[in-house]
Amino acid sequence: MIPRYAHPEMSAIFSSKSRYELWLKVELEVCEGWAEIGEIPRSAVASLRRARVDPDRIARLEERVGHDVVAFLDSIAEEVGEDARYLHRGLTSSDVLDTSLALQMVGASDLLLNDLDRLSSVVRRRAVEEKETLMAGRTHGIHAEPISFGFVLAGWLDELDRARQRLVTAREEIRVGKLSGAVGTHATIDPRVEERALERLNLQVAPVTTQIIARDRHASYMASLAILAGSLEKFATDIRHLQRSEVAELREPFGAEQKGSSAMPHKRNPILSERICGLARTVRGYLLTALEDQALWHERDISHSSAERIIVPDACTLLDYMLRLMADIVEGMTIDRARMRANLYRSGGVVFSQRVLLALVQKGMSRQDAYRVVQGAALSALDGGTDFRAVVAEAPEVRERLTADELAELFDPSYYLRYLDVTFERVGLATASVEHART
């Protein structure tokens, strides 16, 4: 991953040095297992534990031998000498590669879960703050009925909670290793060695393997990342729309010395949200590759491995970046509450049309007749730029059935927020209202 979108903690997990250190760790735990059942001397294990990886030397050896694991083993042999013969006993390369990849993916999951918890915490706090901040709900991009911005954020939080559960499940599904030999039959390695080594590595034993761990596990993991990236894109798309000049209900953070355009000094563009949208597309593309990696020839080919060297580190690194960035956006975004309320009434009050419809039906009109009357008044108000309440009040069918006070009551926006506590309780949010300065 290019440095622009990489944080050091995630980059370290997938660095060459970290990868080789995990390979060595796997090899040493296998040697420990062999020693426990009396197949290799304890002294050899002690000698091997003094080995250190040299990424530059491994790279030079790989250029010569054309095989990364062989180069790794040769470099260790150069360092420890005769006892190196006990390394890789009964193993195939994929035993080391797949088991260490599982360790990397588990470590990456832990970072991503921390990122996700931080974002959820920020969204949770801001949802409570904006619980009663009125705004127009929109469907198809058109004003629908009043909602609150806190309600919107509660929806984000609920989605993040599901994403967390998916990621926890994917982490557990990928938390398996295999030390079962060339085609997975344990012909050259005692199953006890596998079980004991993986236990020390805090990995489960994959019950059945070929030369590799089946790639449905990896596809599921990548799917959880792609779905989470899609959720972040959804949130970012909402922010981008609400920052449009014609809407102007909120703004993502913008630095004091930040420049929005090389040509137009007035520009304050939603570039952070746009960046999240673009990167989400990249993560989704990686999922497609992971799905295609499932179908391999017989007990193994290596058509998956070249792709995984790219897609797994990059997807984890990008999502780490995106989660951190989204937390910063939500933390620092500016909400124009007065503009939200003004926009709610910009369509002349037609957002209250359903209440008028239901009131007329309650008073004895057929739904079809009531719909015709209310729709006619609403479209007239929209087309003429007039007030819907005034137009609908002139309809004979309305005058016959609703008093002025009854009609006025139908235009009270607080009606639409009366069950917010239920929604907030369902997502584990405090129900107490937060006072805001209102204009």
Side-chain angles (χ1 to χ4, degrees):
M1 175 51 57
I2 62 174
R4 183 182 182 92
Y5 304 126
H7 289 289
E9 297 90 342
M10 188 65 80
S11 296
I13 289 175
F14 292 104
S15 68
S16 296
K17 185 175 186 294
S18 175
R19 182 172 69 254
Y20 296 139
E21 286 175 346
L22 288 176
W23 290 5
L24 180 58
K25 185 175 184 178
V26 171
E27 293 277 6
L28 291 174
E29 296 304 341
V30 171
C31 288
E32 190 71 44
W34 283 121
E36 287 176 354
I37 64 173
E39 292 292 327
I40 69 173
R42 281 280 182 190
S43 59
V45 179
S47 172
L48 291 169
R49 287 197 177 279
R50 291 192 289 270
R52 297 293 180 268
V53 298
D54 183 345
D56 293 336
R57 178 58 179 159
I58 294 170
R60 291 194 297 273
L61 288 170
E62 186 179 356
E63 288 180 1
R64 191 170 73 205
V65 301
H67 194 292
D68 52 359
V69 175
V70 171
F72 160 76
L73 293 170
D74 288 351
S75 72
I76 301 299
E78 290 176 347
E79 183 180 354
V80 301
E82 184 178 347
D83 285 333
R85 70 183 187 275
Y86 297 113
L87 281 175
H88 212 62
R89 179 187 173 101
L91 299 181
T92 188
S93 297
S94 289
D95 288 317
V96 179
L97 296 174
D98 276 10
T99 302
S100 61
L101 178 60
L103 292 170
Q104 288 177 303
M105 294 172 78
V106 168
S109 300
D110 291 339
L111 281 183
L112 294 174
L113 286 168
N114 286 337
D115 295 339
L116 189 48
D117 287 344
R118 182 201 165 207
L119 174 57
S120 294
S121 178
V122 174
V123 172
R124 181 177 292 106
R125 176 177 58 78
R126 300 225 67 174
V128 173
E129 291 173 354
E130 306 302 330
K131 178 183 176 184
E132 298 177 14
T133 301
L134 272 171
M135 67 182 298
R138 298 170 172 91
T139 58
H140 304 274
I142 306 300
H143 281 194
E145 291 188 340
I147 59 173
S148 79
F149 189 52
F151 176 79
V152 172
L153 294 173
W156 294 9
L157 182 62
D158 188 38
E159 194 161 337
L160 291 173
D161 286 345
R162 293 193 298 276
R164 192 183 201 286
Q165 185 56 55
R166 277 191 293 267
L167 185 52
V168 167
T169 300
R171 179 190 184 279
E172 188 62 19
E173 191 173 15
I174 203 65
R175 194 176 65 84
V176 298
K178 63 92 58 180
L179 302 167
S180 51
V183 291
T185 61
H186 296 92
T188 56
I189 184 166
D190 192 307
R192 293 174 295 171
V193 173
E194 177 184 52
E195 291 165 3
R196 295 177 185 188
L198 292 179
E199 182 179 6
R200 285 188 291 269
L201 292 167
N202 196 30
L203 297 176
Q204 300 292 326
V205 177
V208 182
T209 63
T210 58
Q211 192 172 96
I212 62 168
I213 295 170
R215 257 42 196 178
D216 64 295
R217 295 178 184 270
H218 302 71
S220 178
Y221 183 94
M222 295 293 287
S224 73
L225 304 191
I227 294 170
L228 176 50
S231 293
L232 298 181
E233 182 181 15
K234 171 188 172 181
F235 308 158
T237 299
D238 270 1
I239 292 170
R240 290 170 61 191
H241 169 74
L242 294 174
Q243 188 164 329
R244 291 174 58 196
S245 299
E246 296 85 353
V247 181
E249 293 181 3
L250 61 79
R251 296 195 306 269
E252 67 176 35
F254 194 85
E257 298 185 16
Q258 186 174 337
K259 304 295 186 290
S261 167
S262 63
M264 297 170 284
H266 71 278
K267 297 284 279 180
R268 184 161 51 189
N269 303 322
I271 61 169
L272 304 180
S273 301
E274 290 172 338
R275 189 179 304 160
I276 286 175
C277 292
L279 296 180
R281 299 167 189 167
T282 306
V283 177
R284 280 199 297 277
Y286 292 151
L287 170 59
L288 177 59
T289 302
L291 293 171
E292 292 181 345
D293 278 349
Q294 288 180 253
L296 304 174
W297 286 15
H298 306 293
E299 279 61 57
R300 182 225 182 179
D301 63 54
I302 62 168
S303 59
H304 66 288
S305 61
S306 56
E308 285 177 356
R309 292 173 190 267
I310 300 169
I311 65 172
V312 174
D314 279 14
C316 292
T317 301
L318 284 179
L319 193 55
D320 173 50
Y321 176 86
M322 293 165 66
L323 285 165
R324 293 179 187 226
L325 180 57
M326 180 56 75
D328 291 341
I329 292 172
V330 177
E331 179 79 48
M333 65 186 178
T334 302
I335 300 164
D336 190 335
R337 302 182 186 95
R339 178 76 173 191
M340 285 183 169
R341 179 176 280 270
N343 282 345
L344 174 64
Y345 289 95
R346 193 172 298 278
S347 52
V350 297
V351 292
F352 301 100
S353 68
Q354 183 177 194
R355 287 207 70 196
V356 179
L357 166 67
L358 295 176
L360 292 174
V361 172
Q362 185 68 24
K363 292 288 187 175
M365 284 188 76
S366 72
R367 183 177 179 85
Q368 292 76 13
D369 288 343
Y371 196 102
R372 174 182 51 78
V373 170
V374 175
Q375 183 185 46
L379 296 181
S380 176
L382 285 171
D383 293 343
T386 54
D387 180 63
F388 167 64
R389 178 175 164 184
V391 174
V392 78
E394 294 301 315
E397 299 88 344
V398 174
R399 291 201 309 269
E400 291 172 6
R401 292 169 175 84
L402 297 174
T403 68
D405 288 342
E406 286 175 329
L407 184 62
E409 185 181 345
L410 301 178
F411 287 78
D412 178 6
S414 66
Y415 175 88
Y416 294 87
L417 307 185
R418 70 193 194 283
Y419 291 128
L420 268 184
D421 282 352
V422 175
T423 298
F424 272 50
E425 288 170 2
R426 287 175 175 175
V427 294
L429 287 168
T431 59
S433 299
V434 176
E435 294 300 324
H436 289 298
R438 296 289 192 255
T439 58

